[in-house]
Amino acid sequence: MKSRIISLGISVLMVLTACQSQNVTKVPRSQPEVQTLSWVHHFDEEGARKWLEIGTQLYSKQHPSYTFALTGVDGGNYLSLLRTWAISGNMPDMYMIDNLDTAFDFIRSGYAMDLSNQPSLANIDERYLNGVKSADGRIWALPIDVNGVGVIYNKDAFAKADIKEPPKTWQQFIEACEALQKVGIVPIAAGYKDAWTISWDLAADLLVNQYVVNPTWIADIEAGKTTFKDNQIQFKEILGRFGERLKYVNHKPFETDWNQAQMLLAEGKAGMIINGTWTIDGVKSKNPASNLGLFAFPYSTDPQKAIFGLKSTGGIVVNPKSPHKDAALQALDLFATQQLGNIFQTNKKALSVIKGLPKDFDPTYIELDSTYIQRGKTYDWSSLYIDFVNQDLQKIFINAITKFIIDPSHNVDTCIQELDQAFKQQRRASK
């Protein structure tokens, strides 16, 4: 036995010596190449970006061969930039959409995957799938949150102005603006340097009137089936109320951007912002101690008509032409879990569409739930729009409203006349 061991040792030594004489290099086992998924979004708020970062980092930890390149784009230029990429064939692996109707060109050009049979949808509250579903029943995006549109207010500013409760009528709203102004607080923060905020300043009034009168008003105007002058949804009154409250916005609103407007509310220097519920994230990222509340835009003399708009439309889209589409679908599965839903609500300060999550993650939403949701004082604006699909018409609309804001008299009739003339000319030019 001993002689065998000696013999084996000599043999091994001879093999090693032979390898050394041939200068053999030991090659380490190769590691898989790391693939990068591109994900484009328009989130400006810190909490939304943090949710994306945490989620994608968690995915990369579970799948070490993948990493993400997250690109944030200004909301006002977002769709235009996506369309430019689509034309050039440089669409990202994943991207966000806000509204299905305004994104149908991406579906038609093959840049949106049909998600109808994906397992991630099983975790989504069925009520919130209509906003990402086409007429044929197919689903094109994974919804992420329930968006509201109304008035975000600083409770401490209201208390300083001795406003006991949020206004429920238009007259009460004007009285609240006067009370805030008397104590040196800007009643309404406006960041018109970012043009997209102009649409949203109108939205709370525009949407509820569309909901009550004609949900297809935007499409009808665009198609020339009706005009602004026809006043089908009381657009003249909507514009009149907008002009009336413009005297309560901050000084030089066109030199104030969205971040600065949010800071005014965060610091209690302004009492209100009229916009979407995503504002809560933006304001609290600037001042976590902000004592915020939400109330429905009180456009009527009837307090019962003060209802809060809630919806879920758009979400995460997967590019089926992506070489990483399978990994992107796995990422959807992760972002549809309760774990990421809780991270979303905690950081983005918004209601998630994922089943089984609590609504008491933030005091602002506790108030929204008790005042509006539980009392049935909400309306679904999933099928309602504030923007025109035709981008030329949208630019005309924003330019006309901008001119209306700058005009010291805020002349409603002149604005409506110019809108109808410009829309008519653009329709003719498009034929």
Side-chain angles (χ1 to χ4, degrees):
M1 183 69 180
K2 184 177 179 180
S3 63
R4 280 191 212 158
I5 293 173
I6 293 172
S7 175
L8 180 61
I10 293 171
S11 298
V12 170
L13 182 62
M14 290 175 64
V15 170
L16 290 173
T17 303
C19 288
Q20 289 173 351
S21 65
Q22 294 178 34
N23 196 28
V24 175
T25 302
K26 186 177 180 181
V27 180
R29 186 172 63 183
S30 62
Q31 297 294 323
E33 183 180 353
V34 175
Q35 304 291 318
T36 300
L37 277 78
S38 56
W39 189 336
V40 177
H41 63 88
H42 52 67
F43 295 130
D44 176 65
E45 300 82 9
E46 181 182 335
R49 290 173 178 260
K50 191 172 182 180
W51 161 72
L52 272 180
E53 290 167 4
I54 292 172
T56 51
Q57 287 169 7
L58 181 58
Y59 180 88
S60 295
K61 186 176 180 180
Q62 296 173 353
H63 305 82
S65 58
Y66 287 97
T67 188
F68 285 83
L70 302 175
T71 303
V73 176
D74 173 69
N77 301 318
Y78 183 72
L79 278 178
S80 297
L81 188 56
L82 277 183
R83 290 187 173 107
T84 300
W85 286 336
I87 292 170
S88 62
N90 292 317
M91 283 291 280
D93 302 309
M94 304 172 72
Y95 58 97
M96 314 296 297
I97 60 169
D98 280 338
N99 191 293
L100 201 59
D101 280 3
T102 57
F104 260 113
D105 51 335
F106 301 122
I107 296 173
R108 287 191 292 267
S109 57
Y111 286 113
M113 182 180 289
D114 180 356
L115 303 177
S116 304
N117 297 316
Q118 293 301 317
S120 55
L121 296 180
N123 294 335
I124 306 301
D125 188 325
E126 291 80 3
R127 293 176 296 174
Y128 303 124
L129 289 175
N130 290 333
V132 292
K133 187 182 296 182
S134 53
D136 58 9
R138 289 190 288 176
I139 294 172
W140 300 99
L142 180 77
I144 57 173
D145 63 349
V146 183
N147 286 319
V149 61
V151 185
I152 304 91
Y153 73 104
N154 187 306
K155 292 184 177 182
D156 295 334
F158 267 44
K160 186 176 179 181
D162 198 30
I163 302 170
K164 304 299 184 184
E165 61 179 9
K168 295 183 177 65
T169 67
W170 179 244
Q171 183 59 37
Q172 290 174 2
F173 182 83
I174 295 299
E175 290 171 356
C177 288
E178 290 286 345
L180 288 162
Q181 206 167 57
K182 284 180 181 177
V183 295
I185 297 173
V186 174
I188 304 168
Y192 297 157
K193 187 175 182 180
D194 291 312
W196 68 268
T197 65
I198 296 172
S199 292
W200 284 103
D201 209 332
L202 270 174
D205 202 345
L206 190 70
L207 288 170
V208 69
N209 278 279
Q210 287 183 73
Y211 174 77
V212 172
V213 181
N214 179 15
T216 63
W217 180 77
I218 286 279
D220 290 347
I221 286 281
E222 190 158 337
K225 294 179 180 179
T226 187
T227 66
F228 292 97
K229 187 178 179 181
D230 288 342
N231 207 31
Q232 196 176 85
I233 64 162
Q234 305 296 304
F235 183 72
K236 182 175 181 178
E237 287 73 19
I238 292 170
L239 206 53
R241 284 189 290 272
F242 184 54
E244 189 175 352
R245 57 185 167 86
L246 282 172
K247 64 182 176 182
Y248 298 113
V249 304
N250 46 280
H251 186 54
K252 296 183 178 180
F254 285 100
E255 295 179 21
T256 305
D257 64 24
W258 178 233
N259 279 318
Q260 291 169 325
Q262 291 179 101
M263 184 62 79
L264 288 173
L265 190 67
E267 295 176 344
K269 294 179 180 178
M272 297 176 280
I273 283 181
I274 303 170
N275 209 288
T277 50
W278 49 83
T279 307
I280 297 165
D281 177 14
V283 173
K284 290 202 170 185
S285 67
K286 294 168 177 56
N287 179 12
S290 298
N291 187 12
L292 303 180
L294 291 164
F295 65 89
F297 184 78
Y299 72 99
S300 172
T301 57
D302 182 358
Q304 297 305 314
K305 291 184 178 180
I307 53 178
F308 205 97
L310 292 173
K311 66 132 187 179
S312 180
T313 59
I316 308 171
V317 181
V318 172
N319 177 4
K321 298 181 182 182
S322 162
H324 311 305
K325 58 180 178 293
D326 291 336
L329 289 173
Q330 287 180 329
L332 284 193
D333 292 339
L334 175 61
F335 274 83
T337 61
Q338 286 192 351
Q339 178 186 12
L340 263 294
N342 278 313
I343 291 171
F344 178 87
Q345 291 195 155
T346 301
N347 288 280
K348 193 177 183 292
K349 302 293 186 295
L351 289 168
S352 171
V353 298
I354 296 172
K355 295 176 182 176
L357 296 181
K359 291 185 175 66
D360 60 354
F361 60 94
D362 185 270
T364 312
Y365 286 97
I366 295 174
E367 181 184 24
L368 177 68
D369 186 47
S370 61
T371 305
Y372 296 99
I373 298 175
Q374 291 184 22
R375 296 182 182 181
K377 295 178 70 64
T378 65
Y379 68 94
D380 181 1
W381 58 289
S382 298
S383 61
L384 306 175
Y385 308 112
I386 66 165
D387 294 330
F388 295 92
V389 175
N390 183 307
Q391 291 301 295
D392 291 324
L393 293 181
Q394 179 62 20
K395 289 176 183 176
I396 290 170
F397 182 74
I398 292 300
N399 287 340
I401 300 301
T402 299
K403 188 176 178 181
F404 174 80
I405 296 169
I406 295 171
D407 173 17
S409 67
H410 307 308
N411 192 303
V412 172
D413 292 329
T414 299
C415 182
I416 287 175
Q417 184 179 10
E418 291 180 356
L419 276 169
D420 278 332
Q421 288 177 349
F423 268 54
K424 187 176 181 179
Q425 290 174 358
Q426 183 57 44
R427 290 192 206 97
R428 286 176 177 173
S430 300
K431 289 182 179 179

